[in-house]
Amino acid sequence: GAGVSQTPSNKVTEKGKYVELRCDPISGHTALYWYRQSLGQGPEFLIYFQGTGAADDSGLPNDRFFAVRPEGSVSTLKIQRTERGDSAMYLCASSASVNTEAFFGQGTRLTVV
Amino acid sequence: EDQVTQSPEALRLQEGESSSLNCSYTVSGLRGLFWYRQDPGKGPEFLFTLYSAGEEKEKERLKATLTKKESFLHITAPKPEDSATYLCAVPNQAGTALIFGKGTTLSVSS
């Protein structure tokens, strides 16, 4: 498809487990972003990739969160030892370059029980 | 600290009743202001980018305007399908991410 694709759309996991969330950006977009959104809040920045490298990871809340983009296209957000507070909508976005409009995927709803 | 504040938090309109949503921001050296629409359980959908004070952009019943301190999203003769949460955002100082407001949830009843 032409848009940003995120899988899975929903993920339920037990506290303490490891999860991976995948993002397939718009073809040709070099900038890729991960955001987290809680109910009633705006999206909050987690990490920004320019190509293969994480140009800004200042939004990652702690070292249980990690993201990769090994070939400059698909990205995976990895969360270790999940906690109930990690429950949220995880959004991925891509843009042709930084500071241009970013296009979002439909998100992955993560629920930690 | 860069901040984005949206008001009101919620707005209920009758079909055809025009109104405006506000987005005020504090950021040094604005590099664009972005408006998004978000439906429940979905990702934000891009609407507009404004780059300089005085700029206006329109799409169907929506018009976005920008001043040096705030932006307005004007909704003319809204329809029920315009019901959604409207988010505005500005780039952070480093230009590496968008800072979002909490959004305005618009409900339009027929």
Side-chain angles (χ1 to χ4, degrees), chain A residues 10-110:
Chain A
N10 281 285
K11 176 71 175 178
V12 180
T13 191
E14 293 181 346
K15 179 176 178 295
K17 298 288 189 182
Y18 168 83
V19 296
E20 290 189 351
L21 312 179
R22 175 188 167 108
C23 173
D24 200 339
I26 293 172
S27 178
H29 279 190
T30 58
L32 185 146
Y33 313 82
W34 284 98
Y35 289 82
R36 179 167 70 173
Q37 186 176 27
S38 301
L39 208 58
Q41 303 294 315
E44 293 181 328
F45 169 70
L46 295 176
I47 188 169
Y48 157 61
F49 287 90
Q50 180 58 43
T52 60
D56 184 352
D57 64 358
S58 62
L60 295 177
N62 52 60
D63 61 7
R64 295 186 298 105
F65 289 75
F66 189 71
V68 295
R69 194 186 185 197
E71 297 178 357
S73 179
V74 171
S75 176
T76 304
L77 178 66
K78 308 181 180 195
I79 310 174
Q80 299 177 323
R81 304 183 304 279
T82 52
E83 300 177 357
R84 292 196 179 87
D86 298 334
S87 297
M89 174 75 88
Y90 288 82
L91 295 163
C92 175
S94 70
S95 62
S97 61
V98 72
N99 280 338
T100 60
E101 52 266 26
F103 296 91
F104 283 80
Q106 293 302 289
T108 295
R109 167 69 65 188
L110 176 67

Side-chain angles (χ1 to χ4, degrees), chain B residues 32-49:
Chain B
L33 185 139
F34 299 81
W35 280 99
Y36 286 85
R37 169 192 169 127
Q38 187 172 30
D39 292 306
K42 306 290 186 183
E45 174 190 347
F46 171 74
L47 292 173
F48 304 109
T49 310

Side-chain angles (χ1 to χ4, degrees), chain B residues 72-100:
Chain B
F72 292 93
L73 185 65
H74 307 278
I75 303 176
T76 302
K79 298 183 177 182
E81 53 261 43
D82 295 321
S83 298
T85 296
Y86 291 86
L87 297 163
C88 75
V90 298
N92 63 4
Q93 291 274 8
T96 55
L98 291 176
I99 302 169
F100 282 86

